[in-house]
C-alpha cells in the first residue's frame, strides 16, 4: 500500500510536476517545439488569404526585406554579447562591485547620451546614426579583448551609446522612409510584427551560435568577435542600400515646427503641449523597465524551484528556458493582427495586455507557486512582450512628430534606464519576490496610464469627427470668459 504521507503529497512536491526532475530538459524541448509550431501556424494562416491577409506590392516587399535584414543583423550583434558579458568579467577576476559598476555605466551612458543621440539623428540623418551604432558597438566588442578595467569601462560607455541608437534611430528611419514612399500604415504594422518575430528567432540563433564559437575557439571573447562580423555586414548594407532621412523630411506624419528652437527643446515642448506623448513615454518606461529587470531576475527566481535535493544543484536548463521565452514572444507578436481585427487600433487593446502582464508577475511574487506554475506565468509575460513591441511601434508612429522622432524616443528611455539602474543598485537589499512584485506594480501603472491615454485619444478622435466649427466650440467651452475673448481675438 501507498504510505499516507505520499498519498497526500502536495502538487508542488510531485516529482512529475515540480522542478527537480531529470525529465525537465525533455519537457522544455517539447514545449519549445509546440510554441514554435503554434507561431508558425498563426503566421501561415495570416498569409493564406481571408480576413487577416494583407496584399502588398513588390516595391514594398523589397523595402521591407532590406530593412529587416539590416535590423536583424544589428540585433544579432547585440544578442551575441549578452550571455557572455558577466562571464567574461568574472574570468578577468573582477569583483562583483567592479562588475556592477561596469553594468551601471552601460545603462547610465545610454540614459545620458540618448537624448543627444536622438537630436543628432533627427538633425543629421537616421542612416548616419545607424552606421554610428555599428561603429560604436564594434569598438565596444574590441575592448573585450583587454583585461584592463578602464578599457572595458570605455567599452561599456560606447556600448550604452550604441544601445540608445539601436532602440530609436532604426525605428525612426523605418517610419520616415515608409511614409516617404506613401505605403499604407497597415504595411508598417506588418513590418513591426515581422521585426519582433525575427528578433526572437535571432535571439535563439544567437544563443546557439554564441555557444558554438565559444566552444570551438575555447574563448569567451569569441562571441564578441562573431558579433563584430554581423555588425560589419549591417554597416555595409546600410551604407549601400539605405537612403538618408532626417526629421522634417516627411510630410505624411504629425509634425512640429522648429521655429529656431533646438530639436531637444521642440521634443520637450511637444510633450508639454500634447500630454498623450508624455503618457506614452511613461508607459514605455514602466513596461520596459519591468521587462529589463525581469531579464536579470528570472534565473535566480527559477533556479531554487528546480533544485535537485540529492545533489543540491539546479536542474533548470537555462538555454532551453530562454528558447521557450523567445518562442512565447513570437506567439505574442503573431497574435497582433487578430487583436487589431478586434479593436482596430493598438492603443485600444494594450490596457488589457498590460494588466495580464501585471498578473503574470504578481502571482509568483505573492503565492508560493511551484516551478512549472511559475514558468507558466513567465511564459504569459513573454507573450505580452511579443504583443507589446509591434503594438507600441504602431502607436508611437502615429502620435510622435516626425521632426523629433528619434529625440523623443530616446527621451522615453531616460526613466527606463533610471528604473533599471535603481533596481540593480539595490538588488542585494531586496528579495526576489519583492522585485517581481515591484515589476508587477510597474505594469499596473502602465495599464492605468494606457487607460488615461485611451480616454484622451478617444476624446481627440471624437472632436476631430465633429468638424472645425464644433471642435472650436468644444475647445472654447473649457476656457474662462477672458481666455475665450483672447482666443477669438487671435483667430480674428
Amino acid at each position: 500500500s501507498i504510505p499516507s504521507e505520499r498519498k497526500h503529497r502536495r502538487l508542488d512536491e510531485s516529482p512529475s510536476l515540480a522542478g527537480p526532475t531529470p525529465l525537465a530538459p525533455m519537457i522544455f524541448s517539447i514545449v519549445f517545439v509546440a510554441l514554435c509550431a503554434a507561431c508558425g501556424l498563426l503566421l501561415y494562416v495570416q498569409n493564406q488569404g481571408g480576413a487577416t491577409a494583407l496584399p502588398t506590392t513588390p516595391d514594398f516587399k523589397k523595402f521591407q526585406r532590406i530593412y529587416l535584414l539590416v535590423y536583424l543583423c544589428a540585433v544579432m550583434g547585440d544578442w551575441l554579447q549578452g550571455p557572455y558579458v558577466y562571464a567574461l568579467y568574472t574570468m578577468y577576476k573582477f569583483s562583483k562591485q567592479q562588475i556592477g559598476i561596469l553594468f551601471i555605466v552601460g545603462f547610465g551612458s545610454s540614459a545620458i547620451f540618448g537624448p543627444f543621440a536622438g537630436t543628432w539623428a533627427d538633425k543629421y540623418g537616421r542612416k548616419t546614426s545607424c552606421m554610428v551604432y555599428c561603429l560604436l558597438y564594434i569598438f565596444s566588442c574590441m575592448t573585450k579583448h583587454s583585461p584592463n578595467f578602464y578599457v572595458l569601462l570605455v567599452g561599456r560607455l560606447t556600448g550604452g551609446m550604441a544601445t540608445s541608437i539601436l532602440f530609436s534611430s532604426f525605428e525612426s528611419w523605418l517610419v520616415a522612409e515608409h511614409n516617404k514612399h506613401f505605403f499604407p500604415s497597415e504595411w508598417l504594422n506588418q513590418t513591426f510584427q515581422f521585426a519582433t518575430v525575427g528578433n526572437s528567432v535571432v535571439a535563439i540563433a544567437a544563443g546557439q551560435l554564441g555557444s558554438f564559437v565559444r566552444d570551438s575557439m575555447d574563448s569567451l571573447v569569441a562571441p564578441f568577435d562573431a558579433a563584430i562580423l554581423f555588425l560589419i555586414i549591417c554597416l555595409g548594407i546600410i551604407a549601400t542600400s539605405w537612403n538618408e532621412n532626417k526629421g522634417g523630411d516627411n510630410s505624411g506624419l504629425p509634425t512640429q515646427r522648429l521655429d529656431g528652437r533646438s530639436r531637444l527643446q521642440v521634443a520637450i515642448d511637444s510633450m508639454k503641449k500634447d500630454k498623450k506623448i508624455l503618457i506614452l513615454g511613461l508607459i514605455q518606461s514602466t513596461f520596459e523597465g519591468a521587462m529589463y529587470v525581469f531579464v536579470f531576475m528570472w534565473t535566480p527566481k527559477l533556479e531554487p524551484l528546480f533544485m535537485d535535493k540529492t545533489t543540491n544543484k539546479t536542474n533548470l536548463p537555462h538555454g532551453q528556458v530562454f528558447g521557450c521565452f523567445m518562442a512565447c514572444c513570437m506567439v505574442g507578436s503573431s497574435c497582433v493582427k487578430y487583436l487589431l481585427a478586434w479593436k482596430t487600433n493598438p492603443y485600444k487593446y494594450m490596457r488589457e495586455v498590460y494588466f495580464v502582464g501585471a498578473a503574470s508577475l504578481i502571482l509568483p511574487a505573492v503565492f508560493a507557486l511551484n516551478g512549472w506554475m511559475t514558468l507558466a506565468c513567465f511564459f504569459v509575460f513573454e507573450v505580452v512582450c511579443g504583443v507589446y513591441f509591434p503594438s507600441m511601434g504602431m502607436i508611437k508612429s502615429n502620435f510622435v512628430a516626425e521632426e523629433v522622432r528619434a529625440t523623443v524616443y530616446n527621451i522615453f528611455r531616460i526613466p527606463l534606464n533610471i528604473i533599471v539602474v535603481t533596481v540593480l543598485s539595490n538588488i542585494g537589499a531586496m528579495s526576489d519576490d519583492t522585485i517581481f512584485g515591484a515589476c508587477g506594480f510597474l505594469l499596473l501603472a502602465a495599464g492605468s496610464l494606457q487607460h488615461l491615454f485611451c480616454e484622451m485619444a478617444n476624446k481627440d478622435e471624437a472632436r476631430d469627427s465633429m468638424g472645425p466649427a464644433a471642435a472650436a466650440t468644444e475647445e472654447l467651452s473649457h476656457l474662462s470668459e477672458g481666455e475665450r475673448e483672447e482666443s477669438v481675438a487671435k483667430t480674428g
Side-chain angles (χ1 to χ4, degrees), residues 318-337:
H318 298 79
Q320 290 172 298
V321 172
F322 178 76
C324 289
F325 283 168
M326 292 299 99
C328 287
C329 195
M330 289 191 291
V331 170
S333 60
S334 301
C335 292
V336 168
K337 189 171 283 189

Side-chain angles (χ1 to χ4, degrees), residues 240-312:
T240 56
S241 63
W242 276 24
N243 298 318
E244 185 62 276
N245 67 56
K246 305 175 184 178
D249 283 353
N250 175 54
S251 60
L253 293 168
T255 59
Q256 288 280 343
R257 291 180 59 187
L258 297 181
D259 294 330
R261 296 170 293 170
S262 69
R263 280 179 165 78
L264 182 58
Q265 184 61 52
V266 172
I268 295 172
D269 289 344
S270 69
M271 288 188 282
K272 290 180 180 178
K273 182 179 179 181
D274 188 352
K275 294 298 188 293
K276 295 193 300 298
I277 300 176
L278 177 61
I279 292 172
L280 198 60
L282 292 174
I283 292 171
Q284 176 175 326
S285 297
T286 51
F287 181 87
E288 293 188 20
M291 182 192 69
Y292 280 115
V293 173
F294 173 84
V295 169
F296 283 98
M297 293 303 301
W298 69 263
T299 298
K301 175 67 176 176
L302 289 176
E303 281 184 343
L305 299 175
F306 284 79
M307 192 68 67
D308 188 336
K309 294 179 181 179
T310 59
T311 62
N312 204 30

Side-chain angles (χ1 to χ4, degrees), residues 383-405:
V383 171
V384 167
C385 291
V387 174
Y388 166 82
F389 282 105
S391 301
M392 179 57 85
M394 299 175 216
I395 297 171
K396 289 190 296 185
S397 70
N398 290 329
F399 287 93
V400 178
E402 175 58 27
E403 286 87 348
V404 290
R405 183 174 300 281

Side-chain angles (χ1 to χ4, degrees), residues 119-338:
T119 300
W120 188 85
D122 287 330
K123 184 175 181 179
Y124 297 106
R126 283 76 178 263
K127 172 184 175 180
T128 303
S129 179
C130 293
M131 293 173 68
V132 170
Y133 159 81
C134 297
L135 295 173
L136 286 172
Y137 234 169
I138 288 171
F139 176 80
S140 178
C141 291
M142 292 173 65
T143 62
K144 300 301 187 291
H145 284 271
S146 172
N148 185 281
F149 178 80
Y150 296 101
V151 172
L152 293 169
L153 196 69
V154 173
R156 288 294 298 176
L157 191 69
T158 58
M161 294 177 181
T163 301
S164 66
I165 296 174
L166 174 62
F167 294 107
S168 59
S169 293
F170 283 84
E171 185 177 321
S172 298
W173 182 90
L174 168 65
V175 174
E177 203 68 19
H178 180 99
N179 286 276
K180 186 185 293 184
H181 289 85
F182 299 101
F183 294 135
S185 61
E186 293 81 6
W187 298 0
L188 179 62
N189 301 347
Q190 184 191 73
T191 304
F192 281 130
Q193 180 187 359
F194 287 171
T196 303
V197 173
N199 186 37
S200 300
V201 173
V202 163
I204 297 170
Q208 300 299 318
L209 178 60
S211 178
F212 173 76
V213 296
R214 179 201 60 193
D215 295 340
S216 299
M217 305 296 291
D218 193 23
S219 170
L220 284 172
V221 182
F224 297 93
D225 293 335
I228 290 175
L229 293 177
F230 282 95
L231 292 168
I232 291 173
I233 294 171
C234 181
L235 179 63
I237 299 174
I238 293 173
T240 56
S241 63
W242 276 24
N243 298 318
E244 185 62 276
N245 67 56
K246 305 175 184 178
D249 283 353
N250 175 54
S251 60
L253 293 168
T255 59
Q256 288 280 343
R257 291 180 59 187
L258 297 181
D259 294 330
R261 296 170 293 170
S262 69
R263 280 179 165 78
L264 182 58
Q265 184 61 52
V266 172
I268 295 172
D269 289 344
S270 69
M271 288 188 282
K272 290 180 180 178
K273 182 179 179 181
D274 188 352
K275 294 298 188 293
K276 295 193 300 298
I277 300 176
L278 177 61
I279 292 172
L280 198 60
L282 292 174
I283 292 171
Q284 176 175 326
S285 297
T286 51
F287 181 87
E288 293 188 20
M291 182 192 69
Y292 280 115
V293 173
F294 173 84
V295 169
F296 283 98
M297 293 303 301
W298 69 263
T299 298
K301 175 67 176 176
L302 289 176
E303 281 184 343
L305 299 175
F306 284 79
M307 192 68 67
D308 188 336
K309 294 179 181 179
T310 59
T311 62
N312 204 30
K313 293 182 180 180
T314 185
N315 281 327
L316 184 71
H318 298 79
Q320 290 172 298
V321 172
F322 178 76
C324 289
F325 283 168
M326 292 299 99
C328 287
C329 195
M330 289 191 291
V331 170
S333 60
S334 301
C335 292
V336 168
K337 189 171 283 189
Y338 298 104

